[in-house]
């Protein structure tokens, strides 16, 4: 097979060698609680600000991955990192703890997919042997940065989502185990004209559709090729809209489709409205739950489709529409 | 030669096939004014906000590059873009104008180097034939985002720099002309403990030193191998500090060393204090001036060393130190 077809890049030797994850208290109470490597007792982690807490959490995810894999920092060729904080300080401030070359990424909540895509090319091309892809997000940093001060106690609108508190890291390597990234489809920026920053599912669903359809065309695969197709954080309403949008183009998503945001929190938890979101949402669902289920043999072919709403507080205040992007990552047991 | 030595990746077939640049009025009055493809008459570009002006400028840089090279968007495999705006909206909102796969990057003012590094791997590995690397910055968006509202008319401290208004785009391709990227050294995050957000030269100089020394060791090259070593935006004081830091390690930078920030503005312009900074600073000096001088045969071997201060307004207000990163890009006429 060619190396590239359309927007899809194909790989033979990119292994998901190990993963780590850490999550907040609320995430711990959800259905994947027992799969995360660590759970926070308090969202502040003993720091003076939520931003410092997020940095500590992100740093932990990488340190824990190095610990699990018994790798020294100098054995890792590159860190590919991102988060939701302005100027991705959650990543930069974590990266200073490691003497490893650093590339900072930002595709909002699709950043984990972006990191896996770039990391896969680095490994497959033979330029690197081991890279770490990591992202983080924190409810309390995102809420006050993108929306309102926490102290206001603003009422949450019905289409809103709850930013996941967590961080996760993936070790991509040129060998190790039998779980591989077989291909990635890099997304284009799609703007459907949505302006409501509390309805990100609607902003992102069209970009998820564009990337998924490109992926299916490029790979000549059908939807049922995968045991699990998991979008990042469309939320419950966004996932419904995504299904409708796919249906319009003649694709019927079945029981093998889930949205990480829609399933990460306890079903009875009404605070979270449409479910989870954030750069760590699809990350910890994959690194915590899905990867472990692949190791157990429950899933053999997963398509992870992290989705990102590319807005900022300034673009919202200036009443701009919300562009979005999604990247598709095919992970298979070989 | 091996593909990788230390933090340096070596390439045989990565061509800098074309470039475009656009700059502000003040930049137009500087020594490189006549080399930029276009100059703004007004910094607002007829838009309602400086952010929208930056987006229009960034979009123009890519459109102009496509126009110059007669390429259709579908002939470009990927956009690698970044800027200084929160959540890099200068890039995302520009990218929605093009149906091209998009990867958003953030390494502050080192982002242009980061884009060239990742783009080079995409081309050399054979996964892609053509990628566009672009960045933008705008004095008026950066000033109000990182420091104070423009309307305050705050007095500028003596160690401050003036964010460059401009955007530039580079077409990397698997063929075209005789200017190649021969290798890149990816930087680590270095934090020297500087806390003054008005003295970014001091924050970045140690990271420039770390990357340059790694580059020289990995490539076994001497400083005089290059006709021109150009750091991104250390500014006049930062460049002096960088020379001293290099001297401490036994390396004497000579007349072939310049800092893009220190030389981009008119020497008589006292507003700019230590000189230029910003994600477009090293970008437009390269895409506008240096690349054209390479085409003319004036320079044959350039080491571009974009430098980035990885702070945010929040990290500054929380009194955190400023980590920094620098990437080295070797561009040679073959």
């Amino acid at each position: 097979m060619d190396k590239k077809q359309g927007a899809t890049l194909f790989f033979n030797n990119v292994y998901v060698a190990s993963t780590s994850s850490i999550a907040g208290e609320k995430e711990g109470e959800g259905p994947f609680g027992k799969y995360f490597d660590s759970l926070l007792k308090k969202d502040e982690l003993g720091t003076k600000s939520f931003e410092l807490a997020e940095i500590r959490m992100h740093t932990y995810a990488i340190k824990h991955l190095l610990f699990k894999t018994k790798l020294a920092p100098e054995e890792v060729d590159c860190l590919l990192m991102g988060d939701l904080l302005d100027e991705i300080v959650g990543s930069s401030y974590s990266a200073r703890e490691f003497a490893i070359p650093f590339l900072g990424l930002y595709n909002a909540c699709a950043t984990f997919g972006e990191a896996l895509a770039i990391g896969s090319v680095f490994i497959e091309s033979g330029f690197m042997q081991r890279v770490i892809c990591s992202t983080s997000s924190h409810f309390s940093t995102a809420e006050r940065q993108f929306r309102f001060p926490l102290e206001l106690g603003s009422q949450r609108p019905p289409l809103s989502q709850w930013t996941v508190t967590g961080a996760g890291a993936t070790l991509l390597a040129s060998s190790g185990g039998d779980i591989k990234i077989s291909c990635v489809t890099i997304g284009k920026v799609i703007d459907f004209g949505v302006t409501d920053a509390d309805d990100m599912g609607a902003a992102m669903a069209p970009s998820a559709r564009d990337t998924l359809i490109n992926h299916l065309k490029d790979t000549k695969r059908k939807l049922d090729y995968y045991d699990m197709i998991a979008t990042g954080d469309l939320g419950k309403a966004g996932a419904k809209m995504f299904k409708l949008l796919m249906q319009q183009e003649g694709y019927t998503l079945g029981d093998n489709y889930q949205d990480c945001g829609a399933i990460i929190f306890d079903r009875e938890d009404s605070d979270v409205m449409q479910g989870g979101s954030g750069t760590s949402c699809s990350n910890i669902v994959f690194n915590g739950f899905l990867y472990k289920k692949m190791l157990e043999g429950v899933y053999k072919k997963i398509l992870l489709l992290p989705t990102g709403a590319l807005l900022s507080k300034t673009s919202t205040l200036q009443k701009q529409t919300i562009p979005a992007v999604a990247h598709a990552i095919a992970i298979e047991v070989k």
Side-chain angles (χ1 to χ4, degrees), chain A residues 137-296:
Chain A
S137 55
H138 192 300
F139 170 78
S140 301
T141 62
E143 198 65 11
R144 67 184 184 180
Q145 178 179 290
F146 287 99
R147 293 171 198 95
F148 299 104
L150 298 164
E151 294 79 357
L152 271 181
S154 306
Q155 198 176 359
R156 302 178 62 75
L159 287 172
S160 68
Q161 292 172 246
W162 189 278
T163 305
V164 167
T165 299
T170 307
L171 178 70
L172 297 186
S174 53
S175 64
D178 57 359
I179 299 177
K180 287 183 175 189
I181 296 187
S182 59
C183 58
V184 302
T185 304
I186 304 177
K188 303 177 179 83
V189 177
I190 306 286
D191 190 333
F192 241 51
V194 173
T195 52
D196 182 358
D198 281 312
D199 183 9
M200 292 189 304
M204 296 188 291
S207 70
R209 173 175 73 172
D210 187 71
T211 300
L212 180 52
I213 291 179
N214 288 337
H215 176 80
L216 297 171
K217 286 182 178 166
D218 291 347
T219 57
K220 300 192 170 62
R221 291 176 183 172
K222 307 255 183 238
L223 287 169
D224 62 7
Y225 176 85
Y226 294 102
D227 307 321
M228 168 69 90
I229 296 173
T231 48
D233 54 351
L234 299 177
K236 290 167 201 162
K240 265 189 205 166
M241 187 177 296
F242 173 57
K243 281 184 170 183
L244 276 171
L245 287 171
M246 288 295 291
Q247 193 73 61
Q248 279 182 359
E249 300 289 327
Y251 297 88
T252 306
L253 285 160
D255 290 340
N256 63 341
Y257 168 64
Q258 295 284 356
D259 178 71
C260 298
I263 56 176
I264 192 169
F265 289 115
D266 190 320
R267 212 175 285 193
E268 307 298 313
D269 186 342
S270 58
D271 283 355
V272 302
M273 299 293 178
Q274 299 302 326
S277 66
T279 322
S280 69
C281 181
S282 57
N283 175 331
I284 63 171
V285 171
F286 174 73
N287 285 321
F289 174 68
L290 292 172
Y291 181 70
K292 288 171 188 171
K293 287 292 162 190
M294 291 190 94
L295 288 175
E296 287 173 17

